[in-house]
Amino acid sequence: MLDELHSRIGREQPIDALPRLLRAYADSLHPAVVGAMHISCADEAEWECADAFQRHFVMPLLPELKHAEKSPFRLSNLGARYEWGALAVAEQHFATHAAGRSFKLLVVKINSHVAAVGHGAELRFGALQRYGEYSTACGALHLLLAGNIKPYLNDLRSGYMLDGVNRLRLLDDSAKVDPRWRSLLLAVVNARAQGRRVERDIAQLTPKGPTRYLVVSAVTLNRGADADTEVLCGVSVADAEYSGASSRYTGLGDDPTLIRVETGGELLMLSRV
Ligand SMILES: [Zn+2]
């Protein structure tokens, strides 16, 4: 099933496709318990993505929180930032009695997002119409790219500066990144950066019991009045019993100059250069 997930990397899909695939992956592993964390932007445009994850992954698989009600651990903030330490709290919650008898699967789904209008050669990113007005999405990431300074933007910026590389400067350079893809790649790099943060927390966390972590980084394409779609950017897997678990990552990198964007067909396609 991991191969199936890998085969979807970079391909635009309906908003329910990835949650359904994650469910099939979880079913194939037969874990004692399935837990989930969903990290998304607070923008109301991300409701559709959260709803699809709730319907097609959370409801079929997670333990009941209360009668007939289920929920992932949720981080919903400006720009879909992973908050250091959140994984330790979520891991404790899903380390149920049943999980102790075998192993649990903890899926961390990260959604960065971007507005997308049109298809094929007409596809444009960064702005959509809502409530009768033009609006930027992701607003937080665009404020960051424009050089604004605020505490949450400083936190987002640190994700673009991992390893001392200034990816915002690359994104802003029209000689290095085609301006048509700037908003899209801004979101793709953020998704990967937040995934790397989760991987760092996995490496230092001692779980309460054997745990398979599956971290998926994705970008939601907010398509205004049309149904939203999603692009899976990458998948990392780690098996932890004690601290120090390392993640095995497959997917797009975090260098925006090394991501090819193809819009020739009906659906958007991203790949490594
Ligand atoms: Zn946003």
Side-chain angles (χ1 to χ4, degrees):
M1 279 309 302
L2 206 52
D3 290 344
E4 182 64 27
L5 267 170
H6 290 163
S7 75
R8 306 290 181 97
I9 289 169
R11 289 161 51 180
E12 183 181 2
Q13 306 176 83
I15 200 69
D16 62 340
L18 181 55
R20 289 177 190 273
L21 198 58
L22 292 173
R23 179 185 177 185
Y25 173 79
D27 285 341
S28 74
L29 290 182
H30 303 292
V33 170
V34 178
M37 177 186 291
H38 192 207
I39 304 168
S40 62
C41 186
D43 190 324
E44 68 271 28
E46 281 297 79
W47 160 82
E48 198 172 333
C49 170
D51 185 57
F53 189 56
Q54 176 75 19
R55 285 170 193 261
H56 301 292
F57 186 85
V58 172
M59 289 307 288
L61 292 175
L62 262 63
E64 273 190 3
L65 187 58
K66 53 181 71 177
H67 181 65
E69 300 288 354
K70 302 178 180 186
S71 177
F73 191 101
R74 290 178 298 157
L75 293 180
S76 178
N77 54 36
L78 295 168
R81 288 166 290 130
Y82 175 68
E83 189 169 341
W84 295 110
L87 196 69
V89 180
E91 191 277 328
Q92 275 214 335
H93 292 175
F94 292 110
T96 63
H97 185 68
R101 293 197 294 273
S102 173
F103 77 101
K104 68 177 172 297
L105 170 68
L106 188 46
V107 170
V108 179
K109 185 168 188 276
I110 301 163
N111 276 91
S112 196
H113 73 121
V114 66
V117 175
H119 295 275
E122 304 300 316
L123 184 56
R124 298 288 179 272
F125 296 99
L128 53 75
Q129 267 207 324
R130 57 177 144 189
Y131 316 133
E133 304 285 342
Y134 273 102
S135 167
T136 304
C138 172
L141 297 185
H142 282 85
L143 283 173
L144 175 67
L145 190 65
N148 290 272
I149 309 280
K150 293 179 191 297
Y152 75 89
L153 293 178
N154 295 342
D155 188 31
L156 275 175
R157 184 179 291 106
S158 69
Y160 288 87
M161 298 293 294
L162 290 171
D163 313 319
V165 178
N166 189 337
R167 296 170 185 82
L168 288 169
R169 192 175 294 157
L170 293 174
L171 283 158
D172 210 24
D173 185 342
S174 297
K176 296 208 163 99
V177 170
D178 188 330
R180 290 178 299 165
W181 317 138
R182 185 171 286 144
S183 298
L184 168 67
L185 295 177
L186 183 66
V188 170
V189 173
N190 184 50
R192 177 60 190 136
Q194 302 306 322
R196 288 185 63 187
R197 283 178 155 191
V198 175
E199 290 169 7
R200 284 191 187 182
D201 244 3
I202 288 172
Q204 61 168 14
L205 175 64
T206 303
K208 278 182 77 177
T211 305
R212 157 73 58 99
Y213 296 102
L214 183 79
V215 182
V216 291
S217 301
V219 170
T220 314
L221 303 189
N222 302 128
R223 287 189 161 280
D226 295 333
D228 286 355
T229 55
E230 187 172 34
V231 175
L232 172 62
C233 299
V235 177
S236 65
V237 176
D239 290 305
E241 194 155 357
Y242 310 101
S243 65
S246 58
S247 296
R248 303 179 298 281
Y249 176 74
T250 304
L252 303 172
D254 54 18
D255 183 338
T257 67
L258 297 178
I259 299 172
R260 181 184 295 117
V261 180
E262 293 170 89
T263 61
E266 184 66 16
L267 298 174
L268 172 69
M269 181 80 192
L270 304 180
S271 57
R272 282 178 179 259
V273 170

